[in-house]
Amino acid sequence: MKNQALSVMLMLMCMVISNAQHKGNYDQISRQNILHSGNATIYNPTVQQQINKILNPSTNVFIDVKALQNISATTYTAIFNVSQIGPTADSTNLLMNQRVDKIKSALKTIGISEEDFAVDVISFVPNYEIEVQKKLFSKTYTEVPNGFELQQNLHIQFTKTNQFENILTACAKSEIYNLVKVDYYIENIAEVYKNLQTKLLKLIEEKKAYYKVLGFDLANYNVAIADDQYCYFPKDFYQSYQAFNSVSFEAITKKKGVTTAKKQTSYYYQPLSYENYDVVINPSILEPVVQIGMNIRLQYTPKPKEAKPEPVVKTEIKHKYYVVSPNGTLDIKALQTN
């Protein structure tokens, strides 16, 4: 009976696992298989908001274009921190050099020469301990050096991602485990921005032609512009998660309560989403990449109509002249000047 109950429980667990085979470990359910048209309503509320969005017409015209390009790094630089202690300054430095030389020899076998290797000395300081000196009527405590500590950062440059595993192995053999970071470098970033600019200018011309078909000749508009460009590296886009729950099989076999297991923090690479971009170059990526983007926003406002000048009113004054006879008669006649 107990075996039967255990079998049923395991079957239920297997059914749950099989039904959730498309669910990732991070805190988002993968719904690529159910987001399709049908009689059921769409689950995602953001999609519903976009479908039912109310558009507000305006006499102003806005052209927003965004482009993104994924670039694989030309070179990488891995930085390891290493610390070495010794009884004297010379012995400490000698032990450090032996470890570094061992790494260099291992890296040469995978095509990484000494030109791709650099040492950055961080500190070289003595360590102290307290020495008690006993005298006839007193004790004194004096700090005296008992050794030295040398700390360095090793900079290792490589060009292929599959070399990194061999670098880790070489460092581990010399008891170096502290990986500080990995930097990504790309060449000719100006060419990348120029390529994005060309793509966006072409797209802007297409949109201007589209608005002209709708009756908006943008030549009759005043234009204002804002633009932006940016470059993001993989280190900016790693996110963490923990497993939501865990099952203890040991608790089932020992017929005890459920034992809570420690959940490890995991990290995954989450690059920029493409949903807000008009142009994406190299969209399919296999490994972490450098993401370079450019945005251009144009605002067109109608040019004010020129006001017609008001007609000028001319006032003409006609003068009349009279001649009086010298004998003083009252026979006054108007003098015609026309």
Side-chain angles (χ1 to χ4, degrees):
M1 228 17 217
K2 293 180 180 178
N3 292 335
Q4 256 184 341
L6 180 59
S7 300
V8 171
M9 186 179 297
L10 291 174
M11 286 177 62
L12 289 173
M13 291 172 59
C14 291
M15 289 174 64
V16 171
I17 293 173
S18 62
N19 289 335
Q21 58 185 343
H22 292 291
K23 180 182 181 299
N25 288 331
Y26 66 97
D27 194 22
Q28 294 291 333
I29 298 177
S30 177
R31 291 187 169 86
Q32 66 271 23
N33 294 331
I34 63 174
L35 276 179
H36 54 79
S37 58
N39 295 327
T41 58
I42 297 178
Y43 173 82
N44 195 334
T46 305
V47 177
Q48 289 284 10
Q49 292 176 5
Q50 184 65 32
I51 293 174
N52 300 321
K53 185 178 180 180
I54 298 176
L55 301 179
N56 298 316
S58 172
T59 56
N60 296 332
V61 177
F62 296 91
I63 296 180
D64 290 309
V65 288
K66 297 181 179 181
L68 182 72
Q69 185 167 347
N70 295 321
I71 301 292
S72 296
T74 308
T75 58
Y76 308 84
T77 299
I79 301 177
F80 293 85
N81 180 266
V82 54
S83 181
Q84 178 65 55
I85 60 174
T88 63
D90 292 338
S91 62
T92 304
N93 192 35
L94 178 62
L95 291 172
M96 176 66 81
N97 290 338
Q98 289 175 352
R99 297 171 70 182
V100 172
D101 290 341
K102 185 178 179 181
I103 295 175
K104 289 181 179 179
S105 299
L107 294 180
K108 285 183 181 179
T109 61
I110 59 173
I112 298 177
S113 63
E114 288 196 16
E115 296 179 355
D116 302 320
F117 192 97
V119 176
D120 180 19
V121 178
I122 304 300
S123 63
F124 193 21
V125 294
N127 290 327
Y128 293 92
E129 68 177 8
I130 302 298
E131 183 180 78
V132 181
Q133 296 180 349
K134 294 182 180 181
K135 297 184 179 179
L136 183 60
F137 298 104
S138 65
K139 285 184 181 179
T140 59
Y141 300 87
T142 306
E143 284 189 339
V144 294
N146 68 335
F148 291 84
E149 180 183 11
L150 174 60
Q151 189 175 161
Q152 296 179 348
N153 282 344
L154 307 182
H155 296 230
I156 304 173
Q157 188 178 80
F158 57 100
T159 57
K160 299 177 182 178
T161 54
N162 57 9
Q163 294 176 307
F164 188 55
E165 185 176 350
N166 295 326
I167 293 174
L168 289 174
T169 302
C171 291
K173 288 182 178 179
S174 295
E175 299 179 353
I176 299 174
Y177 312 106
N178 188 2
L179 173 63
V180 180
K181 63 176 181 175
V182 178
D183 288 328
Y184 290 64
Y185 298 96
I186 56 175
E187 295 180 356
N188 298 324
I189 190 170
E191 292 295 326
V192 178
Y193 284 122
K194 185 177 180 180
N195 183 37
L196 292 175
Q197 187 182 55
T198 302
K199 298 288 185 183
L200 289 182
L201 290 176
K202 181 180 178 182
L203 183 59
I204 289 173
E205 291 301 319
E206 293 175 357
K207 289 199 173 189
K208 289 170 70 174
Y210 165 72
Y211 283 116
K212 190 171 183 179
V213 173
L214 294 178
F216 295 89
D217 187 358
L218 298 182
N220 300 323
Y221 284 70
N222 292 323
V223 61
I225 184 174
D227 61 350
D228 185 27
Q229 62 187 30
Y230 46 86
C231 178
Y232 290 116
F233 293 88
K235 63 181 177 62
D236 301 316
F237 293 107
Y238 274 92
Q239 299 185 13
S240 62
Y241 70 93
Q242 285 184 328
F244 180 71
N245 59 4
S246 56
V247 179
S248 174
F249 287 94
E250 182 182 0
I252 297 175
T253 57
K254 293 185 177 181
K255 304 176 184 179
K256 294 182 178 180
V258 175
T259 302
T260 303
K262 181 181 179 181
K263 300 173 182 63
Q264 182 181 6
T265 300
S266 301
Y267 297 87
Y268 64 97
Y269 174 60
Q270 182 66 45
L272 287 172
S273 175
Y274 302 154
E275 58 186 345
N276 295 323
Y277 288 93
D278 302 285
V279 177
V280 179
I281 305 172
N282 302 329
S284 180
I285 58 176
L286 178 62
E287 60 186 29
V289 293
V290 181
Q291 293 188 296
I292 301 175
M294 179 178 290
N295 304 338
I296 298 179
R297 179 179 175 87
L298 300 173
Q299 177 180 347
Y300 293 88
T301 55
K303 291 181 179 179
K305 295 182 180 180
E306 295 182 0
K308 294 182 179 180
E310 296 182 359
V312 179
V313 179
K314 294 183 178 180
T315 303
E316 183 178 356
I317 301 175
K318 293 184 177 181
H319 300 277
K320 289 184 179 182
Y321 300 92
Y322 297 90
V323 177
V324 180
S325 61
N327 56 7
T329 60
L330 299 177
D331 185 14
I332 301 174
K333 295 181 180 180
L335 181 62
Q336 300 295 329
T337 60
N338 291 336

